[in-house]
Amino acid sequence: MTTPTQFAEQLSTTTLLRFATAGSVDDGKSTLVGRLLHDSKSVLTDQLEAVEHASRNRGQEAPDLALLTDGLRAEREQGITIDVAYRYFATTRRRFILADTPGHVQYTRNMVTGASTAELAVVLVDARNGVVEQTRRHAAVAALLRVPHVVLAVNKMDLVEYAEPVFAAIAEEFTAYAASLGVPEITAIPISALAGDNVVEPSANMDWYGGPTVLEHLETVPVSHDLTACHARFPVQYVIRPQTAEHPDYRGYAGQIAAGVFRVGEPVTVLPSGRTSTIAGIDLLGDSVDIAWAPQSVTVRLADDIDVSRGDLIAPVDDAPAVTQDVEATVCHVADQPLTVGQRVLIKHTTRTVKAIVKDIPSRLTLDDLSQHPAPGQLVANDIGRVVVRTAEPLALDAYSDSRRTGSFLLIDPADGTTLSAGMAGASFAAVTQAEAPADDDAEWDF
């Protein structure tokens, strides 16, 4: 038997997998998560007792494992998931951060939040209903967010008598759809979250299935989130100038390294100004170091006294991103109010926030057949579409396909700070310089 000390030592050497669950209402996402936690012995005794008590109060004989994740009172009363529920658990092979996202169309925006940092998405389908519009929507969001691994969990197989043809037909339809979206890897698993079939333990009711259980796949799927292999990017969050007798000339630029590696002596450029310098020093937790990497939080000191402020991006001279005022991107609209052509917004990219105008909405994605609906004029809640945004100041953007951290942004309502859309920058931009800013200085928002 593994002792607590041995288990802690094993965890220190295991990898971390961030994954999200998604699916339509009543597909059984919360039950799957509850079963996963329960059968992997990741539920504390008092938590299980609370679930058993709540289940009895609802007239249920067996514990409703969905209550392990549906923590809000409104969720328990309605029997649906509303908010993103984060759960942390571990096995001897891997550590997990799980985001259980809502299934109702009204809360699709929450899936964007949950899947934005995920390396894997589990999309559930009710075996009785097959692939529905919300299934397609979640597959599209996973593809849009560049989630590298997608698991199709065909749930409630017990209600279709564990029929292999039912599973095969659903798996074929979903795989073809997700592949057309560009999802690189799709794994289909037939399960019954309520009965525990193929969740943690193999099912005796589906001897025709020879693949992994859900937990086995989660434990063994390759995880590649090495930020140090990406283009080096350092968004400046704060300028440190103590101006004390001990440090009269100290000037450092603090923040979290978004990606890559930085070294003392390396030539760098500060964007969007384009000024260049050399890294004179890196301070980490009060000590000077010669090298730092993502996602460490550090203070960078430059050899030259140049103008650097919050929102600037420090990058290697020979590997700097393009600077642009014309942002072409795909967005998932998450606000109740529509996004319209000509609308004034704020765009938040890393630590930089600038004014912008929505110049065009070329198309909206039709999820049924993946066709592009041209010139929709606006995007409403849960729509996915292409936008063209003109910013008041240049931004240093990477393509989202190159970097999920420095290729993403938010569109924000300047009136009340509401998040309107989550954006993923396109692969190419029309780069401009500071001198190419529009000449009309009379209109503050007319860029």
Side-chain angles (χ1 to χ4, degrees):
M1 180 177 179
T2 304
T3 66
T5 300
Q6 291 172 328
F7 186 68
E9 291 175 350
Q10 289 172 339
L11 290 185
S12 66
T13 59
T14 57
T15 56
L16 171 67
L17 175 68
R18 298 174 182 267
F19 73 100
T21 60
S24 300
V25 175
D26 294 331
D27 277 352
K29 297 175 303 303
S30 297
T31 302
L32 170 62
V33 173
R35 173 65 64 184
L36 198 59
L37 296 173
H38 179 271
D39 288 7
S40 63
K41 307 296 188 294
S42 300
V43 180
L44 299 177
T45 302
D46 59 338
Q47 291 176 314
L48 186 57
E49 291 175 350
V51 167
E52 292 172 343
H53 177 72
S55 300
R56 286 194 298 269
N57 289 342
R58 296 170 61 174
Q60 296 172 304
E61 295 182 2
D64 184 355
L65 298 179
L67 299 180
L68 287 170
T69 56
D70 288 340
L72 298 180
R73 178 177 297 178
E75 294 177 326
R76 296 192 179 202
E77 290 175 350
Q78 297 179 53
I80 64 172
T81 301
I82 295 175
D83 199 6
V84 179
Y86 289 95
R87 292 295 179 265
Y88 307 84
F89 69 103
T91 66
T92 56
R93 303 177 72 177
R94 180 166 279 176
R95 294 172 290 127
F96 302 95
I97 299 178
L98 181 157
D100 182 30
T101 67
H104 198 282
V105 171
Q106 179 182 354
Y107 304 112
T108 301
R109 68 197 78 177
N110 298 65
M111 188 208 167
V112 177
T113 301
S116 60
T117 58
E119 289 102 33
L120 181 145
V122 179
V123 178
L124 270 80
V125 171
D126 189 325
R128 299 168 299 175
N129 302 328
V131 176
V132 297
E133 180 181 355
Q134 191 68 343
T135 310
R136 297 187 183 95
R137 187 182 302 275
H138 287 149
V141 171
L144 184 65
L145 294 172
R146 302 280 176 168
V147 179
H149 307 282
V150 171
V151 172
L152 171 67
V154 182
N155 194 22
K156 304 187 181 182
M157 288 296 295
D158 54 314
L159 300 183
V160 294
E161 300 180 348
Y162 299 103
E164 181 181 5
V166 174
F167 166 73
I170 295 173
E172 182 179 2
E173 180 181 357
F174 180 86
T175 300
Y177 181 85
S180 68
L181 288 168
V183 176
E185 180 180 293
I186 306 155
T187 302
I189 304 176
I191 68 170
S192 170
L194 187 63
D197 292 289
N198 284 337
V199 178
V200 173
E201 299 296 335
S203 171
N205 298 306
M206 291 179 278
D207 53 4
W208 45 264
Y209 173 73
T213 65
V214 173
L215 181 60
E216 183 181 354
H217 183 70
L218 294 176
E219 286 183 324
T220 57
V221 65
V223 176
S224 178
H225 50 76
D226 183 11
L227 295 175
T228 62
C230 302
H231 305 287
R233 303 288 186 261
F234 180 68
V236 177
Q237 182 174 355
Y238 186 71
V239 179
I240 299 177
R241 292 195 66 191
Q243 295 181 318
T244 61
E246 185 179 357
H247 304 285
D249 300 319
Y250 186 94
R251 180 194 290 265
Y253 309 106
Q256 184 183 51
I257 300 176
V261 178
F262 287 90
R263 295 175 174 83
V264 172
E266 180 179 14
V268 293
T269 182
V270 179
L271 300 173
S273 68
R275 296 182 178 90
T276 60
S277 184
T278 301
I279 297 179
I282 301 175
D283 299 326
L284 173 65
L285 299 176
D287 295 325
S288 294
V289 297
D290 293 328
I291 184 173
W293 54 84
Q296 291 179 329
S297 294
V298 299
T299 300
V300 173
R301 291 178 280 116
L302 300 181
D304 302 286
D305 187 11
I306 60 178
D307 183 16
V308 182
S309 59
R310 174 182 170 86
D312 286 345
L313 184 76
I314 298 176
V317 168
D318 57 356
D319 187 26
V323 175
T324 184
Q325 283 181 261
D326 295 299
V327 179
E328 299 181 15
T330 300
V331 303
C332 180
H333 192 63
V334 299
D336 292 326
Q337 66 182 95
L339 184 73
T340 59
V341 175
Q343 186 171 347
R344 300 174 179 181
V345 296
L346 298 176
I347 182 168
K348 177 174 173 54
H349 172 250
T350 62
T351 58
R352 187 175 183 83
T353 302
V354 302
K355 295 177 180 179
I357 289 180
V358 180
K359 301 297 288 186
D360 190 18
I361 303 178
S363 63
R364 182 184 70 239
L365 180 66
T366 303
L367 293 171
D368 288 337
D369 58 4
L370 297 181
S371 63
Q372 297 289 336
H373 178 74
Q378 67 175 14
L379 298 177
V380 299
N382 301 315
D383 275 351
I384 297 172
R386 293 288 297 174
V387 300
V388 178
V389 178
R390 175 73 170 176
T391 63
E393 303 172 26
L395 292 178
L397 282 145
D398 285 297
Y400 189 79
S401 57
D402 293 334
S403 172
R404 294 172 75 181
R405 300 194 67 183
T406 55
S408 59
F409 61 86
L410 297 177
L411 297 182
I412 300 171
D413 187 338
D416 58 12
T418 301
T419 298
L420 300 173
S421 302
M424 283 59 69
S428 62
F429 306 95
V432 297
T433 64
Q434 286 274 37
E436 291 176 280
D440 186 359
D441 297 327
D442 295 330
E444 181 184 4
W445 287 86
D446 186 12
F447 312 137

